[in-house]
């Protein structure tokens, strides 16, 4: 393993994070893949094609933002 590859794998979104993010999107009524990707890109300020591109840190930010939006409703 190269250090870069190892860091990338260790930094990838976890299945638990992915599941939590999907649950929050559903609660907010964002059920279409395109809507979710657009919202995600808006929150992290970069365009992505798939959630697998996200880092653990980015997902934590997204989850926190989505939870805050749910609290507002």
């Amino acid at each position: 393993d190269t250090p870069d590859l190892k860091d990338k794998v260790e930094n990838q979104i976890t299945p638990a994070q992915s599941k939590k993010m999907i649950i929050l999107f559903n609660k907010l009524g964002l059920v279409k893949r395109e809507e979710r990707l657009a919202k995600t890109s808006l929150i992290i300020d970069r365009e992505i094609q798939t959630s697998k591109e996200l880092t653990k840190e980015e997902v934590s930010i997204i989850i926190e933002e989505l939870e805050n939006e749910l609290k507002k409703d």
Side-chain angles (χ1 to χ4, degrees):
D1 280 350
T2 63
D4 290 344
L5 181 60
K6 186 178 180 190
D7 288 346
K8 189 172 184 178
V9 170
E10 288 177 359
N11 227 356
Q12 280 181 328
I13 181 174
T14 66
Q17 284 181 311
S18 180
K19 185 176 182 179
K20 183 165 186 172
M21 197 168 61
I22 289 169
I23 289 168
L24 292 169
F25 277 132
N26 286 338
K27 286 182 178 180
L28 287 166
L30 298 169
V31 293
K32 292 184 180 172
R33 181 178 185 273
E34 298 80 24
E35 293 173 325
R36 291 176 179 181
L37 289 175
K39 182 70 170 178
T40 297
S41 294
L42 187 68
I43 293 170
I44 62 168
D45 197 29
R46 74 176 177 97
E47 199 167 313
I48 61 162
Q49 302 302 314
T50 174
S51 63
K52 291 180 176 141
E53 296 175 33
L54 297 168
T55 66
K56 288 179 184 176
E57 184 179 338
E58 287 173 328
V59 177
S60 294
I61 293 166
I62 293 162
I63 288 170
E64 184 178 337
E65 179 66 28
L66 296 176
E67 286 175 334
N68 286 339
E69 285 189 34
L70 278 172
K71 289 176 189 173
K72 291 177 190 173
D73 291 345

